[in-house]
Amino acid sequence: QMTLLRLVVLFGVAVVMALDNGLARTPPMGWSSWNTFRCDINEALILETAEKMISEGMRDAGYVYVNIDDCWSLHQRNASGYLVEDPAKFPHGIRYLADYLHKRGMKLGLYNAAGAWTCQGYPGSYHYEKQDAELFASYDVDFWKQDWCAVELGQDPRVSYPVLRRRRQRHWASDGPQHLRVRLKEV
């Protein structure tokens, strides 16, 4: 029995050590705007939801993610190829929301798609992975949801998702999104 106990303890320590990469120490728990509001989202709704999560004890129970789903950006990228948050919906910008949430002990999630367009017809990340990674880092985003909408015929998820995963892991895994801006020069 002592040998079995030692194996259980050693296995448990090995698993903890193997997962000590700074990512997903607990399941990412929180709220997503899509399930209830779809495209009818705005800054006030996000702030109100976060405050409700805090006042109801959800944050303290580990539900810290406030995820803004599709429809947060304008329908076109800017001249430099970057997504632009919709100023009518988010007058203070996405970075303002991230800063607000972080001060309240919450985390911000943001949505895009691996195809040329999101599921609702907004610009997707296809061929813009680097710009989107830079932008999400400048917003200090903690969680990036990536759908598989509007992909090109033959676009392979085994190719597309690893491109995004490498960019995210390379910059988020060990030291958080705040270092992405500096380290993107390495990409």
Side-chain angles (χ1 to χ4, degrees), residues 158-171:
R158 293 170 298 181
V159 174
S160 295
Y161 279 131
V163 166
L164 296 167
R165 184 179 65 241
R166 279 192 304 276
R167 287 212 163 94
R168 288 188 302 238
Q169 285 177 339
R170 189 169 178 183
H171 303 296

Side-chain angles (χ1 to χ4, degrees), residues 1-8:
Q1 280 195 351
M2 189 57 120
T3 303
L4 180 58
L5 178 61
R6 285 183 190 160
L7 284 174
V8 169

Side-chain angles (χ1 to χ4, degrees), residues 4-176:
L4 180 58
L5 178 61
R6 285 183 190 160
L7 284 174
V8 169
V9 169
L10 286 175
F11 178 73
V13 169
V15 168
V16 169
M17 289 173 55
L19 296 176
D20 191 17
N21 65 358
L23 292 177
R25 294 174 191 254
T26 62
M29 300 185 302
W31 171 85
S32 172
S33 63
W34 187 255
N35 296 329
T36 302
F37 299 102
R38 303 215 179 250
C39 286
D40 191 20
I41 56 173
N42 60 53
E43 182 176 289
L45 171 72
I46 302 305
L47 295 174
E48 179 183 333
T49 301
E51 288 304 322
K52 189 68 168 176
M53 290 173 71
I54 293 167
S55 69
E56 294 293 323
M58 293 177 71
R59 176 194 60 194
D60 295 338
Y63 293 84
V64 297
Y65 287 93
V66 176
N67 296 327
I68 302 170
D69 212 284
D70 207 344
C71 311
W72 61 268
S73 72
L74 293 176
H75 283 280
Q76 293 183 344
R77 291 177 176 271
N78 69 17
S80 299
Y82 288 94
L83 295 167
V84 179
E85 64 263 58
D86 185 332
K89 293 179 180 180
F90 300 98
H92 293 99
I94 299 297
R95 178 59 192 244
Y96 167 82
L97 288 174
D99 291 344
Y100 181 91
L101 292 171
H102 292 154
K103 288 176 189 170
R104 302 289 284 139
M106 305 288 283
K107 296 181 178 186
L108 176 67
L110 205 53
Y111 166 95
N112 208 296
W117 305 102
T118 70
C119 298
Q120 297 301 308
Y122 290 79
S125 289
Y126 192 53
H127 296 303
Y128 291 95
E129 295 88 355
K130 181 177 179 181
Q131 289 92 329
D132 291 352
E134 287 177 342
L135 181 68
F136 283 33
S138 75
Y139 289 160
D140 208 7
V141 167
D142 302 289
F143 184 94
W144 183 353
K145 176 185 172 185
Q146 195 75 0
D147 258 343
W148 189 249
C149 293
V151 295
E152 289 190 4
L153 184 62
Q155 188 176 337
D156 188 345
R158 293 170 298 181
V159 174
S160 295
Y161 279 131
V163 166
L164 296 167
R165 184 179 65 241
R166 279 192 304 276
R167 287 212 163 94
R168 288 188 302 238
Q169 285 177 339
R170 189 169 178 183
H171 303 296
W172 268 293
S174 62
D175 48 14

